[in-house]
Amino acid sequence: MSQKLRVVGIGCDGYEGLSARAVEALSSARRIIGSPRQLHLLADVNLDAELSPWPSGFWTDWQVTLADIDPLVDVILASGDPMFHGVGVSLVRELGRGGVEVIPVPSSASLACAYLGWPLHDTPVISLVTGEPGIPGAARVVPVADALRPFLVLCRNADSVKEVATVLAGRPDTKLTALTNLGGTEATGLLESVAEGTVATPPVPAGNLTVLAVEPSGSARGWLRDGDFDSDGQLTKAPIRQMTVAALDPRPGALLWDVGGGTGSIGIEWARHGGRAEIFERDAVRAERIAKNVANLSGNVTVHHGAAPGALADSNLRPDAIFIGGGLTADGMLEACWQRLAPGGTIVANAVTLESEALLWQARRDYGGDVTRLSVERAGAVGTFTAWRPALPVVQWVALKPVEPALP
């Protein structure tokens, strides 16, 4: 059996906090590879191994990075639990479960929940360490705060605390607790520190290695209201919006393409259900407005400025679902979207004009699926009385792309 690549997690308590198994792995290594911060925790330890920092941009090409690593003599030093938003996840993905031996210490989330008295199994965790930096990345906390559940944020750096406070400005009484260098000791030079505050007056963390505990205030919010979006009127309104998102079959981690974004409402609602979205919008002003809505309401959405179907080439990903809310009559739109949709994926298109509706009936003939007419009426005043006021009916086509049979 070939030697597994050993990955040792280390916490702010340093070498003293390692298990005998971890100590044995480090003692037998000729080279220990890790970040400068992690390697610094071993600087005063009597080890024969060379302490080697990761090369610049090592995560961008794992094939090249791993070609220089010998599992027989090299050990990877990682932070905390390497399988919790850590390098262990990438290494197992590249080498397979049987190619990696992970030796963890308690994760930062585990230490934070132990300090706070929160149940780890029932505490959502949002990592800002990866993904978009700044406000666009911090926006991912908004849907979790809207559920009024206490949650943890793994901060990219000390600035993450202010960024989270910014995106939660509408909940000023939300309690924020910045937990820095959890488990740290004077011996390692990483002293544990706790700072408390609110969204209105955010705490100042003692360093970059911070977990932020968030206890939301205010009212819960599930589905968004029409008024939550900044819009010029180009908006898929409730309840058609909810019915459209339901037809797309959202699920955590799945990717949606929202083509002809308008206000971005469908992509944003999808992201709030745990997915990722890419929105394509040809109008520059609307594309900028969509980006602001994303930052205020969901995060996890990339906005592409350009006219589809040509702009679809801006993405090299294959979506699990596609919604066509605008540009349906553009030449080749339906064909291009169907081609890019992943097998087993769902496509939904809405139309309000007879010309667009005709295209949906043709799509049903070409690709199958169902066509449904959705009508909504709202009560409104007629003088001193009340009557129903109908909105324009929406014709909706929904189809599932067949999964290609496996080759024998």
Side-chain angles (χ1 to χ4, degrees):
M1 179 182 292
S2 60
Q3 172 67 44
K4 295 181 179 181
L5 178 61
R6 292 163 293 176
V7 183
V8 173
I10 191 168
C12 289
D13 52 355
Y15 188 78
E16 295 302 318
L18 297 179
S19 66
R21 182 174 159 212
V23 168
E24 181 183 358
L26 295 176
S27 299
S28 65
R30 293 185 194 170
R31 184 172 62 153
I32 299 172
I33 305 167
S35 74
R37 179 182 64 80
Q38 291 147 3
L39 295 175
H40 177 73
L41 294 170
L42 300 181
D44 297 328
V45 180
N46 185 21
L47 294 170
D48 294 331
E50 170 195 356
L51 302 182
S52 177
W54 285 108
S56 177
F58 69 93
W59 63 89
T60 60
D61 192 335
W62 278 108
Q63 189 171 5
V64 171
T65 299
L66 291 172
D68 187 48
I69 294 176
D70 183 355
L72 289 172
V73 296
D74 293 335
V75 171
I76 306 301
L77 190 64
S79 181
D81 183 347
M83 298 304 294
F84 184 72
H85 298 281
V87 71
V89 177
S90 298
L91 292 171
V92 170
R93 183 190 64 230
E94 297 296 323
L95 299 174
R97 177 184 173 189
V100 181
E101 179 186 2
V102 178
I103 308 172
V105 295
S107 69
S108 55
S110 178
L111 293 171
C113 284
Y115 176 88
L116 296 162
W118 293 1
L120 178 61
H121 69 277
D122 200 33
T123 300
V125 179
I126 307 297
S127 175
L128 303 185
V129 177
T130 57
E132 287 189 272
I135 296 299
R140 285 180 284 161
V141 308
V142 175
V144 188
D146 284 350
L148 292 189
R149 294 180 62 188
F151 63 96
L152 299 176
V153 179
L154 307 185
C155 295
R156 180 184 290 263
N157 51 43
D159 291 338
S160 297
V161 174
K162 291 187 295 184
E163 291 159 359
V164 169
T166 298
V167 300
L168 296 182
R171 300 181 181 276
D173 295 329
T174 292
K175 184 179 178 180
L176 303 179
T177 304
L179 307 164
T180 304
N181 300 331
L182 282 167
T185 65
E186 190 173 347
T188 63
L190 298 172
L191 287 174
E192 184 173 277
S193 169
V194 179
E196 297 182 345
T198 64
V199 161
T201 56
V204 178
N208 290 326
L209 197 61
T210 294
V211 177
L212 182 65
V214 183
E215 299 173 68
S217 66
S219 302
R221 180 172 64 172
W223 290 99
L224 296 171
R225 300 172 293 273
D226 291 348
D228 291 328
F229 298 94
D230 180 14
S231 173
D232 61 359
Q234 195 71 16
L235 170 70
T236 303
K237 297 181 176 64
I240 300 297
R241 182 170 64 253
Q242 287 90 334
M243 289 187 277
T244 299
V245 174
L248 287 162
D249 191 20
R251 53 198 181 277
L255 174 64
L256 168 75
W257 277 5
D258 182 351
V259 181
T263 300
S265 62
I266 299 298
I268 287 169
E269 289 281 21
W270 174 278
R272 288 173 61 86
H273 280 75
R276 301 169 295 133
E278 293 187 296
I279 299 179
F280 300 85
E281 173 54 52
R282 67 179 182 179
D283 182 271
V285 174
R286 284 179 178 164
E288 185 176 349
R289 185 181 291 114
I290 291 170
K292 292 178 181 177
N293 281 328
V294 169
N296 289 331
L297 299 171
S298 73
N300 261 1
V301 175
T302 301
V303 182
H304 299 280
H305 172 221
L312 302 182
D314 292 347
S315 174
N316 60 3
L317 302 177
R318 198 159 193 192
D320 302 293
I322 296 178
F323 170 64
I324 308 174
L328 190 60
T329 58
D331 189 40
M333 176 70 83
L334 280 165
E335 294 84 349
C337 289
W338 184 262
Q339 183 180 17
R340 293 296 299 271
L341 181 65
T346 302
I347 187 168
V348 176
N350 288 355
V352 295
T353 68
L354 294 176
E355 290 80 5
S356 294
E357 180 181 344
L359 293 173
L360 299 188
W361 286 109
Q362 183 61 50
R364 181 175 180 269
R365 287 189 287 271
D366 293 340
Y367 306 113
D370 297 308
V371 175
T372 305
R373 191 177 186 193
L374 308 173
S375 298
V376 175
E377 298 182 10
R378 288 185 170 87
V382 179
T384 58
F385 296 93
T386 304
W388 291 109
R389 295 186 179 276
L392 286 173
V394 175
V395 177
Q396 184 177 87
W397 171 61
V398 181
L400 189 69
K401 188 172 181 178
V403 177
E404 299 162 356
L407 296 175

